[in-house]
Amino acid sequence: MIIIKSKQELELMREAGKVTAYILRELEQFMKPGVATIEIDRFVEKTVKEHGMIAAEKGYCGYPAYVCVSVNDEVVHGIPTDERILVEGDIVSIDLVIDNKGYMADAARTYAVGEISPEAKHLIETAEKAFFEGL
């Protein structure tokens, strides 16, 4: 069964999507050597709250952070920490879910930290191409 959303519901979803897109764009600044993954989490927390929304991952099934940050071969839904510091050549995957009065925006993005290997670049490009072809 398909539930048709009202104009108000669609607008709530659109607002959540705009904040999600804004955060993912701004996170590009964080993807540099020396940044702890917890700094990414703090930025997401601050930004989501400033927009009057909720980071839906926080507390979901006990998840302790506002955003999932996975570095290199870490499994998806990595937990940000003070100890995990980005270094040149890392690949960072971000998974973000924002709740705007019960209407969600869910997105993920992969970032390169500085110069990455040709293999890593190929991996990112291939995954992005596959995503858009599947879409």
Side-chain angles (χ1 to χ4, degrees):
M1 180 169 90
I2 297 174
I3 299 172
I4 306 298
K5 303 284 189 241
S6 69
K7 287 183 181 184
Q8 181 183 11
E9 291 170 318
L10 290 172
E11 185 56 32
L12 290 169
M13 293 167 67
R14 187 173 292 110
E15 289 170 3
K18 286 179 181 178
V19 172
T20 300
Y22 170 77
I23 289 171
L24 292 175
R25 277 191 311 272
E26 290 298 306
L27 285 178
E28 290 176 12
Q29 299 174 55
F30 286 80
M31 302 308 156
K32 57 188 172 192
V35 172
T37 57
I38 196 69
E39 294 175 61
I40 295 167
D41 190 65
R42 289 180 185 135
F43 169 76
V44 170
E45 174 187 14
K46 176 180 169 274
T47 306
V48 169
K49 287 180 178 179
E50 286 174 352
H51 286 87
M53 298 180 193
I54 298 167
E57 278 145 331
K58 177 74 172 177
Y60 181 74
C61 294
Y63 188 77
Y66 292 86
V67 65
C68 300
V69 183
S70 304
V71 181
N72 298 326
D73 59 352
E74 291 177 341
V75 70
V76 175
H77 304 134
I79 300 170
T81 68
D82 285 323
E83 294 82 30
R84 186 62 163 126
I85 308 297
L86 301 181
V87 298
E88 186 85 14
D90 280 342
I91 299 174
V92 181
S93 295
I94 300 291
D95 184 5
L96 174 63
V97 182
I98 295 182
D99 177 340
N100 184 19
K101 300 176 184 151
Y103 293 88
M104 310 286 185
D106 185 343
R109 184 166 174 200
T110 302
Y111 302 85
V113 178
E115 290 295 319
I116 59 174
S117 71
E119 295 84 6
K121 185 176 181 182
H122 179 68
L123 173 67
I124 292 172
E125 290 170 352
T126 302
E128 183 177 7
K129 181 180 178 187
F131 170 79
F132 283 109
E133 285 186 16
L135 185 65

